[in-house]
Short mmCIF file of all heavy atoms in Angstrom, two decimals:
data_model
loop_
_atom_site.label_atom_id
_atom_site.label_comp_id
_atom_site.label_asym_id
_atom_site.label_seq_id
_atom_site.Cartn_x
_atom_site.Cartn_y
_atom_site.Cartn_z
N MET Z 1 0.84 -1.18 0.02
CA MET Z 1 -0.01 0.00 0.01
C MET Z 1 0.87 1.26 0.01
O MET Z 1 1.95 1.27 0.61
CB MET Z 1 -0.91 -0.01 1.25
CG MET Z 1 -1.91 1.07 1.14
SD MET Z 1 -3.11 1.32 2.49
CE MET Z 1 -3.36 -0.19 3.26
N ARG Z 2 0.45 2.30 -0.64
CA ARG Z 2 1.18 3.54 -0.80
C ARG Z 2 1.09 4.33 0.52
O ARG Z 2 0.00 4.40 1.14
CB ARG Z 2 0.57 4.30 -1.93
CG ARG Z 2 1.16 5.63 -2.25
CD ARG Z 2 0.59 6.21 -3.47
NE ARG Z 2 -0.50 7.06 -3.11
CZ ARG Z 2 -1.03 7.95 -3.96
NH1 ARG Z 2 -0.64 7.99 -5.16
NH2 ARG Z 2 -1.95 8.76 -3.52
N PRO Z 3 2.20 4.96 0.96
CA PRO Z 3 2.06 5.78 2.16
C PRO Z 3 1.20 7.00 1.97
O PRO Z 3 1.11 7.51 0.90
CB PRO Z 3 3.58 6.21 2.45
CG PRO Z 3 4.26 5.98 1.18
CD PRO Z 3 3.48 4.95 0.37
N LYS Z 4 0.55 7.43 3.06
CA LYS Z 4 -0.33 8.56 2.99
C LYS Z 4 0.49 9.86 2.82
O LYS Z 4 1.60 9.97 3.33
CB LYS Z 4 -1.19 8.68 4.24
CG LYS Z 4 -2.20 7.58 4.37
CD LYS Z 4 -3.23 7.88 5.42
CE LYS Z 4 -4.25 6.80 5.41
NZ LYS Z 4 -5.51 7.27 5.90
N LYS Z 5 -0.07 10.78 2.07
CA LYS Z 5 0.59 12.11 1.90
C LYS Z 5 0.43 12.92 3.16
O LYS Z 5 -0.56 12.82 3.87
CB LYS Z 5 -0.07 12.84 0.68
CG LYS Z 5 0.23 12.15 -0.63
CD LYS Z 5 -0.40 12.98 -1.74
CE LYS Z 5 -0.05 12.34 -3.10
NZ LYS Z 5 -0.56 13.13 -4.18
N THR Z 6 1.44 13.74 3.37
CA THR Z 6 1.32 14.69 4.49
C THR Z 6 0.34 15.77 4.12
O THR Z 6 -0.06 15.98 2.98
CB THR Z 6 2.70 15.33 4.83
OG1 THR Z 6 3.07 16.14 3.73
CG2 THR Z 6 3.76 14.30 5.15
N GLU Z 7 -0.08 16.54 5.13
CA GLU Z 7 -1.06 17.60 4.90
C GLU Z 7 -0.58 18.61 3.82
O GLU Z 7 -1.32 19.05 2.99
CB GLU Z 7 -1.34 18.36 6.19
CG GLU Z 7 -2.45 19.34 6.12
CD GLU Z 7 -3.81 18.76 5.86
OE1 GLU Z 7 -4.08 17.62 6.32
OE2 GLU Z 7 -4.65 19.43 5.18
N SER Z 8 0.73 18.95 3.85
CA SER Z 8 1.24 19.89 2.88
C SER Z 8 1.38 19.34 1.51
O SER Z 8 1.48 20.09 0.52
CB SER Z 8 2.62 20.37 3.37
OG SER Z 8 3.54 19.32 3.38
N GLN Z 9 1.30 18.03 1.34
CA GLN Z 9 1.41 17.40 0.03
C GLN Z 9 0.02 17.12 -0.60
O GLN Z 9 -0.04 16.87 -1.81
CB GLN Z 9 2.11 16.01 0.11
CG GLN Z 9 3.58 16.15 0.49
CD GLN Z 9 4.15 14.75 0.74
OE1 GLN Z 9 3.52 13.85 1.30
NE2 GLN Z 9 5.38 14.55 0.29
N ARG Z 10 -1.02 17.27 0.14
CA ARG Z 10 -2.37 17.01 -0.38
C ARG Z 10 -2.84 18.16 -1.26
O ARG Z 10 -2.70 19.32 -0.95
CB ARG Z 10 -3.35 16.82 0.76
CG ARG Z 10 -3.08 15.57 1.48
CD ARG Z 10 -4.19 15.23 2.52
NE ARG Z 10 -3.78 14.18 3.34
CZ ARG Z 10 -3.75 14.18 4.64
NH1 ARG Z 10 -4.19 15.21 5.33
NH2 ARG Z 10 -3.32 13.14 5.36
N LEU Z 11 -3.43 17.85 -2.40
CA LEU Z 11 -4.02 18.81 -3.29
C LEU Z 11 -5.46 19.03 -2.88
O LEU Z 11 -6.33 18.29 -3.15
CB LEU Z 11 -3.95 18.26 -4.73
CG LEU Z 11 -2.58 17.88 -5.24
CD1 LEU Z 11 -2.67 17.33 -6.64
CD2 LEU Z 11 -1.64 19.05 -5.19
N THR Z 12 -5.66 20.16 -2.22
CA THR Z 12 -6.97 20.42 -1.58
C THR Z 12 -7.71 21.63 -2.20
O THR Z 12 -8.87 21.85 -1.89
CB THR Z 12 -6.88 20.65 -0.11
OG1 THR Z 12 -6.02 21.75 0.15
CG2 THR Z 12 -6.27 19.37 0.60
N LYS Z 13 -7.01 22.43 -2.98
CA LYS Z 13 -7.57 23.71 -3.49
C LYS Z 13 -7.94 23.51 -4.97
O LYS Z 13 -7.29 22.80 -5.70
CB LYS Z 13 -6.64 24.87 -3.31
CG LYS Z 13 -6.22 25.10 -1.87
CD LYS Z 13 -7.41 25.40 -1.02
CE LYS Z 13 -7.03 25.59 0.45
NZ LYS Z 13 -8.17 25.65 1.33
N THR Z 14 -8.98 24.26 -5.39
CA THR Z 14 -9.45 24.18 -6.73
C THR Z 14 -9.39 25.61 -7.34
O THR Z 14 -9.75 26.54 -6.69
CB THR Z 14 -10.92 23.67 -6.81
OG1 THR Z 14 -10.96 22.40 -6.22
CG2 THR Z 14 -11.42 23.57 -8.26
N VAL Z 15 -8.96 25.67 -8.61
CA VAL Z 15 -8.97 26.94 -9.35
C VAL Z 15 -9.83 26.76 -10.57
O VAL Z 15 -9.62 25.76 -11.29
CB VAL Z 15 -7.53 27.37 -9.74
CG1 VAL Z 15 -7.53 28.62 -10.56
CG2 VAL Z 15 -6.66 27.53 -8.51
N LEU Z 16 -10.73 27.67 -10.76
CA LEU Z 16 -11.62 27.54 -11.94
C LEU Z 16 -11.32 28.68 -12.89
O LEU Z 16 -11.05 29.84 -12.47
CB LEU Z 16 -13.06 27.68 -11.51
CG LEU Z 16 -13.57 26.61 -10.53
CD1 LEU Z 16 -14.97 26.91 -10.07
CD2 LEU Z 16 -13.52 25.22 -11.21
N PHE Z 17 -11.34 28.42 -14.22
CA PHE Z 17 -11.24 29.45 -15.20
C PHE Z 17 -12.03 29.07 -16.42
O PHE Z 17 -12.30 27.88 -16.63
CB PHE Z 17 -9.79 29.81 -15.53
CG PHE Z 17 -8.94 28.67 -16.05
CD1 PHE Z 17 -8.78 28.52 -17.43
CD2 PHE Z 17 -8.32 27.75 -15.21
CE1 PHE Z 17 -8.03 27.46 -17.91
CE2 PHE Z 17 -7.58 26.71 -15.69
CZ PHE Z 17 -7.40 26.51 -17.03
N ARG Z 18 -12.40 30.04 -17.15
CA ARG Z 18 -13.32 29.79 -18.32
C ARG Z 18 -12.51 29.70 -19.61
O ARG Z 18 -11.52 30.49 -19.79
CB ARG Z 18 -14.35 30.90 -18.43
CG ARG Z 18 -15.29 30.89 -17.24
CD ARG Z 18 -16.34 31.97 -17.43
NE ARG Z 18 -17.17 32.14 -16.27
CZ ARG Z 18 -18.26 31.41 -15.99
NH1 ARG Z 18 -18.65 30.52 -16.84
NH2 ARG Z 18 -18.94 31.58 -14.88
N LEU Z 19 -12.94 28.86 -20.50
CA LEU Z 19 -12.33 28.70 -21.81
C LEU Z 19 -13.40 28.62 -22.81
O LEU Z 19 -14.57 28.24 -22.54
CB LEU Z 19 -11.56 27.39 -21.88
CG LEU Z 19 -10.36 27.21 -20.91
CD1 LEU Z 19 -9.89 25.77 -20.99
CD2 LEU Z 19 -9.24 28.15 -21.26
N THR Z 20 -13.04 28.90 -24.08
CA THR Z 20 -13.99 28.65 -25.15
C THR Z 20 -13.95 27.13 -25.42
O THR Z 20 -13.05 26.46 -24.96
CB THR Z 20 -13.57 29.39 -26.43
OG1 THR Z 20 -12.36 28.87 -26.91
CG2 THR Z 20 -13.46 30.90 -26.21
N GLU Z 21 -14.92 26.63 -26.24
CA GLU Z 21 -14.91 25.22 -26.53
C GLU Z 21 -13.64 24.86 -27.34
O GLU Z 21 -13.05 23.80 -27.11
CB GLU Z 21 -16.16 24.86 -27.38
CG GLU Z 21 -17.43 24.86 -26.52
CD GLU Z 21 -18.59 24.29 -27.27
OE1 GLU Z 21 -18.43 23.44 -28.17
OE2 GLU Z 21 -19.74 24.74 -26.96
N LEU Z 22 -13.20 25.75 -28.22
CA LEU Z 22 -12.00 25.48 -28.94
C LEU Z 22 -10.77 25.43 -28.07
O LEU Z 22 -9.93 24.54 -28.21
CB LEU Z 22 -11.84 26.55 -30.05
CG LEU Z 22 -10.61 26.41 -30.99
CD1 LEU Z 22 -10.72 25.11 -31.78
CD2 LEU Z 22 -10.53 27.58 -31.90
N GLU Z 23 -10.70 26.37 -27.09
CA GLU Z 23 -9.56 26.36 -26.19
C GLU Z 23 -9.54 25.13 -25.33
O GLU Z 23 -8.52 24.54 -25.08
CB GLU Z 23 -9.60 27.62 -25.31
CG GLU Z 23 -9.31 28.91 -26.01
CD GLU Z 23 -9.62 30.15 -25.16
OE1 GLU Z 23 -10.49 30.07 -24.27
OE2 GLU Z 23 -8.99 31.19 -25.42
N GLU Z 24 -10.70 24.71 -24.87
CA GLU Z 24 -10.83 23.46 -24.06
C GLU Z 24 -10.31 22.27 -24.83
O GLU Z 24 -9.57 21.43 -24.33
CB GLU Z 24 -12.24 23.24 -23.51
CG GLU Z 24 -12.33 22.00 -22.67
CD GLU Z 24 -13.74 21.58 -22.42
OE1 GLU Z 24 -14.66 21.88 -23.21
OE2 GLU Z 24 -13.96 20.93 -21.32
N ALA Z 25 -10.80 22.15 -26.06
CA ALA Z 25 -10.39 21.03 -26.91
C ALA Z 25 -8.87 21.01 -27.11
O ALA Z 25 -8.24 20.00 -27.04
CB ALA Z 25 -11.12 21.09 -28.28
N GLN Z 26 -8.31 22.20 -27.35
CA GLN Z 26 -6.86 22.29 -27.60
C GLN Z 26 -6.11 21.92 -26.28
O GLN Z 26 -5.08 21.22 -26.34
CB GLN Z 26 -6.49 23.69 -28.03
CG GLN Z 26 -5.01 23.89 -28.31
CD GLN Z 26 -4.69 25.24 -28.80
OE1 GLN Z 26 -5.55 26.07 -29.06
NE2 GLN Z 26 -3.43 25.53 -28.97
N LEU Z 27 -6.60 22.41 -25.12
CA LEU Z 27 -5.98 22.09 -23.89
C LEU Z 27 -5.98 20.57 -23.59
O LEU Z 27 -4.97 19.97 -23.26
CB LEU Z 27 -6.65 22.79 -22.71
CG LEU Z 27 -6.21 22.48 -21.30
CD1 LEU Z 27 -4.71 22.82 -21.12
CD2 LEU Z 27 -7.06 23.23 -20.30
N LYS Z 28 -7.13 19.93 -23.83
CA LYS Z 28 -7.26 18.49 -23.61
C LYS Z 28 -6.32 17.73 -24.54
O LYS Z 28 -5.65 16.75 -24.17
CB LYS Z 28 -8.68 18.04 -23.77
CG LYS Z 28 -9.57 18.42 -22.61
CD LYS Z 28 -11.00 17.96 -22.83
CE LYS Z 28 -11.86 18.32 -21.69
NZ LYS Z 28 -13.26 17.81 -21.83
N ARG Z 29 -6.33 18.13 -25.84
CA ARG Z 29 -5.47 17.47 -26.81
C ARG Z 29 -4.00 17.61 -26.50
O ARG Z 29 -3.25 16.63 -26.55
CB ARG Z 29 -5.78 18.06 -28.20
CG ARG Z 29 -5.03 17.39 -29.33
CD ARG Z 29 -5.45 17.87 -30.74
NE ARG Z 29 -5.42 19.33 -30.85
CZ ARG Z 29 -6.56 20.10 -30.89
NH1 ARG Z 29 -7.76 19.56 -30.82
NH2 ARG Z 29 -6.48 21.43 -31.01
N THR Z 30 -3.56 18.80 -26.15
CA THR Z 30 -2.20 19.04 -25.80
C THR Z 30 -1.72 18.26 -24.53
O THR Z 30 -0.69 17.67 -24.50
CB THR Z 30 -1.88 20.55 -25.60
OG1 THR Z 30 -2.34 21.23 -26.80
CG2 THR Z 30 -0.42 20.79 -25.37
N ALA Z 31 -2.60 18.26 -23.54
CA ALA Z 31 -2.33 17.50 -22.34
C ALA Z 31 -2.16 16.03 -22.65
O ALA Z 31 -1.23 15.33 -22.17
CB ALA Z 31 -3.40 17.73 -21.25
N ALA Z 32 -3.08 15.51 -23.43
CA ALA Z 32 -3.02 14.09 -23.82
C ALA Z 32 -1.74 13.77 -24.63
O ALA Z 32 -1.13 12.73 -24.43
CB ALA Z 32 -4.25 13.73 -24.65
N GLN Z 33 -1.35 14.65 -25.49
CA GLN Z 33 -0.14 14.46 -26.28
C GLN Z 33 1.10 14.39 -25.39
O GLN Z 33 2.10 13.81 -25.73
CB GLN Z 33 0.01 15.58 -27.34
CG GLN Z 33 -0.99 15.43 -28.46
CD GLN Z 33 -0.98 16.62 -29.42
OE1 GLN Z 33 -0.49 17.72 -29.04
NE2 GLN Z 33 -1.54 16.48 -30.56
N CYS Z 34 1.02 15.12 -24.28
CA CYS Z 34 2.11 15.10 -23.30
C CYS Z 34 2.03 13.93 -22.34
O CYS Z 34 2.86 13.81 -21.46
CB CYS Z 34 2.18 16.44 -22.52
SG CYS Z 34 2.59 17.82 -23.61
N GLY Z 35 0.96 13.16 -22.43
CA GLY Z 35 0.76 12.04 -21.50
C GLY Z 35 0.39 12.50 -20.13
O GLY Z 35 0.74 11.82 -19.15
N MET Z 36 -0.30 13.62 -20.02
CA MET Z 36 -0.63 14.21 -18.73
C MET Z 36 -2.13 14.47 -18.63
O MET Z 36 -2.83 14.58 -19.64
CB MET Z 36 0.08 15.54 -18.55
CG MET Z 36 1.59 15.45 -18.68
SD MET Z 36 2.36 17.09 -18.69
CE MET Z 36 2.44 17.42 -16.92
N SER Z 37 -2.64 14.53 -17.38
CA SER Z 37 -4.01 14.99 -17.17
C SER Z 37 -4.04 16.50 -17.41
O SER Z 37 -2.98 17.16 -17.40
CB SER Z 37 -4.45 14.65 -15.77
OG SER Z 37 -3.77 15.49 -14.83
N VAL Z 38 -5.20 17.02 -17.64
CA VAL Z 38 -5.35 18.48 -17.80
C VAL Z 38 -4.82 19.16 -16.55
O VAL Z 38 -4.11 20.20 -16.65
CB VAL Z 38 -6.80 18.89 -18.15
CG1 VAL Z 38 -6.99 20.37 -18.09
CG2 VAL Z 38 -7.22 18.34 -19.50
N SER Z 39 -5.17 18.66 -15.39
CA SER Z 39 -4.69 19.32 -14.12
C SER Z 39 -3.22 19.29 -14.04
O SER Z 39 -2.56 20.32 -13.71
CB SER Z 39 -5.28 18.58 -12.91
OG SER Z 39 -6.65 18.77 -12.86
N ASP Z 40 -2.56 18.16 -14.31
CA ASP Z 40 -1.11 18.08 -14.26
C ASP Z 40 -0.46 18.98 -15.27
O ASP Z 40 0.54 19.63 -15.00
CB ASP Z 40 -0.63 16.63 -14.42
CG ASP Z 40 -0.94 15.76 -13.23
OD1 ASP Z 40 -1.10 16.32 -12.07
OD2 ASP Z 40 -0.97 14.55 -13.38
N TYR Z 41 -1.01 19.06 -16.47
CA TYR Z 41 -0.47 19.90 -17.52
C TYR Z 41 -0.54 21.38 -17.13
O TYR Z 41 0.43 22.10 -17.21
CB TYR Z 41 -1.21 19.67 -18.83
CG TYR Z 41 -0.75 20.54 -19.98
CD1 TYR Z 41 0.34 20.11 -20.68
CD2 TYR Z 41 -1.34 21.73 -20.27
CE1 TYR Z 41 0.83 20.91 -21.76
CE2 TYR Z 41 -0.84 22.55 -21.31
CZ TYR Z 41 0.24 22.12 -22.02
OH TYR Z 41 0.71 22.93 -23.05
N CYS Z 42 -1.70 21.83 -16.60
CA CYS Z 42 -1.87 23.22 -16.17
C CYS Z 42 -0.89 23.53 -15.03
O CYS Z 42 -0.25 24.58 -14.99
CB CYS Z 42 -3.29 23.48 -15.77
SG CYS Z 42 -4.46 23.54 -17.13
N ARG Z 43 -0.77 22.63 -14.09
CA ARG Z 43 0.07 22.83 -12.92
C ARG Z 43 1.54 23.00 -13.39
O ARG Z 43 2.26 23.88 -12.95
CB ARG Z 43 -0.05 21.67 -11.95
CG ARG Z 43 0.54 21.95 -10.60
CD ARG Z 43 0.30 20.75 -9.62
NE ARG Z 43 -1.09 20.55 -9.40
CZ ARG Z 43 -1.76 19.42 -9.76
NH1 ARG Z 43 -1.17 18.47 -10.40
NH2 ARG Z 43 -3.05 19.30 -9.53
N ALA Z 44 1.95 22.12 -14.32
CA ALA Z 44 3.33 22.21 -14.85
C ALA Z 44 3.54 23.54 -15.53
O ALA Z 44 4.55 24.19 -15.38
CB ALA Z 44 3.61 21.03 -15.74
N ALA Z 45 2.58 23.91 -16.37
CA ALA Z 45 2.71 25.18 -17.14
C ALA Z 45 2.77 26.38 -16.20
O ALA Z 45 3.56 27.28 -16.43
CB ALA Z 45 1.58 25.30 -18.16
N ILE Z 46 1.94 26.37 -15.21
CA ILE Z 46 1.91 27.53 -14.27
C ILE Z 46 3.21 27.66 -13.51
O ILE Z 46 3.66 28.79 -13.29
CB ILE Z 46 0.72 27.36 -13.30
CG1 ILE Z 46 -0.63 27.52 -13.97
CG2 ILE Z 46 0.87 28.29 -12.09
CD1 ILE Z 46 -1.79 27.06 -13.17
N PHE Z 47 3.84 26.59 -13.12
CA PHE Z 47 5.00 26.67 -12.29
C PHE Z 47 6.31 26.62 -13.12
O PHE Z 47 7.39 26.28 -12.59
CB PHE Z 47 4.98 25.58 -11.25
CG PHE Z 47 3.89 25.87 -10.24
CD1 PHE Z 47 2.79 25.03 -10.09
CD2 PHE Z 47 3.95 27.00 -9.43
CE1 PHE Z 47 1.77 25.31 -9.21
CE2 PHE Z 47 2.93 27.27 -8.53
CZ PHE Z 47 1.84 26.46 -8.40
N GLY Z 48 6.24 26.94 -14.42
CA GLY Z 48 7.43 27.12 -15.20
C GLY Z 48 8.03 25.93 -15.91
O GLY Z 48 9.02 26.02 -16.59
N THR Z 49 7.39 24.78 -15.78
CA THR Z 49 7.91 23.58 -16.49
C THR Z 49 7.26 23.58 -17.85
O THR Z 49 6.09 23.90 -18.01
CB THR Z 49 7.47 22.32 -15.76
OG1 THR Z 49 7.97 22.39 -14.41
CG2 THR Z 49 8.04 21.09 -16.40
N THR Z 50 8.02 23.29 -18.88
CA THR Z 50 7.51 23.20 -20.24
C THR Z 50 7.20 21.71 -20.50
O THR Z 50 8.06 20.96 -20.78
CB THR Z 50 8.49 23.70 -21.27
OG1 THR Z 50 8.86 25.06 -20.89
CG2 THR Z 50 7.87 23.71 -22.64
N PRO Z 51 5.88 21.34 -20.45
CA PRO Z 51 5.52 19.94 -20.81
C PRO Z 51 5.89 19.65 -22.22
O PRO Z 51 5.71 20.47 -23.12
CB PRO Z 51 4.03 19.92 -20.59
CG PRO Z 51 3.70 21.06 -19.71
CD PRO Z 51 4.70 22.12 -20.07
N LYS Z 52 6.43 18.45 -22.42
CA LYS Z 52 6.87 18.05 -23.80
C LYS Z 52 5.96 16.96 -24.33
O LYS Z 52 5.53 16.05 -23.57
CB LYS Z 52 8.30 17.57 -23.76
CG LYS Z 52 9.27 18.62 -23.41
CD LYS Z 52 10.72 18.15 -23.48
CE LYS Z 52 11.62 19.29 -23.12
NZ LYS Z 52 13.02 18.90 -23.11
N GLN Z 53 5.65 17.04 -25.60
CA GLN Z 53 4.83 16.05 -26.21
C GLN Z 53 5.56 14.75 -26.35
O GLN Z 53 6.76 14.70 -26.59
CB GLN Z 53 4.39 16.52 -27.61
CG GLN Z 53 3.45 17.71 -27.57
CD GLN Z 53 2.96 18.07 -28.89
OE1 GLN Z 53 3.26 17.42 -29.93
NE2 GLN Z 53 2.15 19.12 -29.04
N ARG Z 54 4.85 13.66 -26.14
CA ARG Z 54 5.43 12.32 -26.27
C ARG Z 54 5.49 12.00 -27.70
O ARG Z 54 4.70 12.45 -28.56
CB ARG Z 54 4.57 11.28 -25.55
CG ARG Z 54 4.62 11.47 -24.06
CD ARG Z 54 3.94 10.32 -23.39
NE ARG Z 54 4.17 10.33 -21.99
CZ ARG Z 54 3.72 9.45 -21.14
NH1 ARG Z 54 2.96 8.42 -21.58
NH2 ARG Z 54 3.96 9.52 -19.87
N LEU Z 55 6.42 11.15 -28.07
CA LEU Z 55 6.53 10.65 -29.48
C LEU Z 55 5.45 9.64 -29.76
O LEU Z 55 5.16 8.76 -28.89
CB LEU Z 55 7.89 10.05 -29.74
CG LEU Z 55 9.09 11.00 -29.58
CD1 LEU Z 55 10.39 10.21 -29.75
CD2 LEU Z 55 9.00 12.13 -30.62
N THR Z 56 4.89 9.70 -30.96
CA THR Z 56 3.95 8.67 -31.33
C THR Z 56 4.74 7.43 -31.71
O THR Z 56 5.92 7.50 -31.96
CB THR Z 56 3.09 9.13 -32.55
OG1 THR Z 56 4.01 9.31 -33.62
CG2 THR Z 56 2.40 10.44 -32.27
N PRO Z 57 4.07 6.26 -31.76
CA PRO Z 57 4.77 5.06 -32.14
C PRO Z 57 5.45 5.18 -33.54
O PRO Z 57 6.54 4.64 -33.76
CB PRO Z 57 3.66 4.00 -32.19
CG PRO Z 57 2.63 4.47 -31.24
CD PRO Z 57 2.69 5.97 -31.33
N GLU Z 58 4.81 5.92 -34.48
CA GLU Z 58 5.42 6.14 -35.77
C GLU Z 58 6.74 6.97 -35.67
O GLU Z 58 7.64 6.75 -36.43
CB GLU Z 58 4.43 6.81 -36.72
CG GLU Z 58 3.20 6.03 -37.06
CD GLU Z 58 2.12 6.09 -35.95
OE1 GLU Z 58 2.04 7.12 -35.25
OE2 GLU Z 58 1.33 5.14 -35.81
N GLN Z 59 6.71 7.95 -34.79
CA GLN Z 59 7.92 8.81 -34.59
C GLN Z 59 9.04 8.06 -33.90
O GLN Z 59 10.20 8.35 -34.18
CB GLN Z 59 7.54 10.08 -33.81
CG GLN Z 59 6.61 10.99 -34.52
CD GLN Z 59 6.10 12.12 -33.61
OE1 GLN Z 59 5.90 11.93 -32.45
NE2 GLN Z 59 5.94 13.28 -34.19
N GLN Z 60 8.71 7.11 -33.09
CA GLN Z 60 9.74 6.31 -32.40
C GLN Z 60 10.45 5.41 -33.38
O GLN Z 60 11.55 5.16 -33.42
CB GLN Z 60 9.16 5.47 -31.26
CG GLN Z 60 8.64 6.33 -30.13
CD GLN Z 60 7.98 5.49 -29.01
OE1 GLN Z 60 7.75 4.32 -29.22
NE2 GLN Z 60 7.70 6.13 -27.93
#
């Protein structure tokens, strides 16, 4: 079993923002191409990490 996270490690806060349908689709597509959830992708982008797209099987 995985050890429990400490209080400071728990993700407890939510941030909401509005997007157009086109922006949402692009965000979901880009996050998926990077192999990340939308939340993880946004968190990485906000804190200065540049998420990189994964190679497709054809590119490998």
Side-chain angles (χ1 to χ4, degrees):
M1 189 181 332
R2 180 173 97 164
K4 291 193 176 207
K5 292 182 178 181
T6 65
E7 188 66 33
S8 64
Q9 293 174 321
R10 291 187 190 128
L11 304 177
T12 61
K13 302 299 178 190
T14 302
V15 176
L16 300 173
F17 59 98
R18 296 181 186 275
L19 300 171
T20 65
E21 287 188 31
L22 182 61
E23 291 170 333
E24 180 193 26
Q26 182 177 354
L27 174 60
K28 287 180 177 181
R29 183 174 50 255
T30 304
Q33 288 171 342
C34 293
M36 303 172 83
S37 68
V38 170
S39 293
D40 288 337
Y41 180 84
C42 289
R43 195 176 299 112
I46 288 167
F47 293 113
T49 304
T50 305
K52 294 184 181 178
Q53 293 184 2
R54 291 187 171 182
L55 297 176
T56 64
E58 295 82 27
Q59 292 171 325
Q60 292 177 349

